[in-house]
Amino acid sequence: MMEILLTWLRRLSHWLGFETADSFPPGHPYERTRWNGAYFDIASDVKPEDIERRLCEAISNTPLVFGYIDNPTPRMQRALLAVLEERMRNNRGRATELAVLLVQAYESPHISEIIPGLRSVVDATRGHDPGDRGRAVMAFLGSTQSPFDVIEMG
């Protein structure tokens, strides 16, 4: 009886938004996407579209938080790529640091590739220094035509 009551209270707490969400709900196309709730204060009752929007805003404002997301969605990857592209274009420092975050994300076999060939570049540099891997990704992005103007597929 106590177990049933606790289960019911957990569900009620979730529905009322008293918990912090750390993933999309089961059945969502990106249900494997996880984030560290300590860095993203998102109530459990927030709709998935709004969750993704909030995460993308956080990435745009503080791109290093991308490192606290496992299996980021294509939209989240594009948010990071936009900041990376701006840093590459303006020759601002720490672009390699953001490229390394992208490399780390692509270590997962469950991430959706948003630019054809990006996974191949990441796989080809496996075993290299993280900075070298990041620079290889930046070279790849710089050699592709409009790598940051990727149309959202879903």
Side-chain angles (χ1 to χ4, degrees):
M1 177 68 163
M2 187 63 147
E3 197 172 306
I4 293 171
L5 180 61
L6 288 175
T7 301
W8 183 81
L9 284 174
R10 270 189 236 120
R11 286 185 181 154
L12 180 62
S13 176
H14 178 77
W15 288 331
L16 294 175
F18 294 141
E19 296 178 14
T20 300
D22 63 358
S23 66
F24 290 110
H28 187 272
Y30 298 108
E31 67 184 335
R32 290 181 187 245
T33 300
R34 302 264 187 271
W35 53 89
N36 185 326
Y39 293 92
F40 307 97
D41 187 21
I42 300 173
S44 58
D45 65 338
V46 175
K47 301 283 185 226
E49 301 79 33
D50 197 32
I51 290 173
E52 188 174 33
R53 182 189 57 74
R54 290 180 187 189
L55 291 170
C56 290
E57 284 177 4
I59 293 165
S60 295
N61 293 328
T62 312
L64 293 179
V65 298
F66 186 85
Y68 297 100
I69 302 172
D70 295 327
N71 301 312
T73 67
R75 187 173 170 197
M76 293 173 198
Q77 293 175 56
R78 280 191 293 283
L80 181 70
L81 283 171
V83 177
L84 177 59
E85 186 264 343
E86 178 189 344
R87 288 187 181 181
M88 287 172 58
R89 188 176 353 165
N90 297 329
N91 206 17
R92 291 180 42 208
R94 301 175 69 161
T96 304
E97 184 177 40
L98 300 182
V100 168
L101 292 177
L102 194 60
V103 167
Q104 291 169 345
Y106 271 76
E107 292 294 325
S108 169
H110 305 293
I111 193 169
S112 299
E113 182 179 46
I114 63 166
I115 300 174
L118 183 55
R119 183 177 301 282
S120 297
V121 171
V122 171
D123 290 344
T125 61
R126 197 172 307 279
H128 291 92
D129 174 75
D132 291 340
R133 295 182 83 189
R135 285 184 283 281
V137 166
M138 289 171 44
F140 169 75
L141 294 173
S143 69
T144 60
Q145 188 154 9
S146 301
F148 307 102
D149 296 330
V150 178
I151 297 172
E152 187 165 341
M153 296 294 288

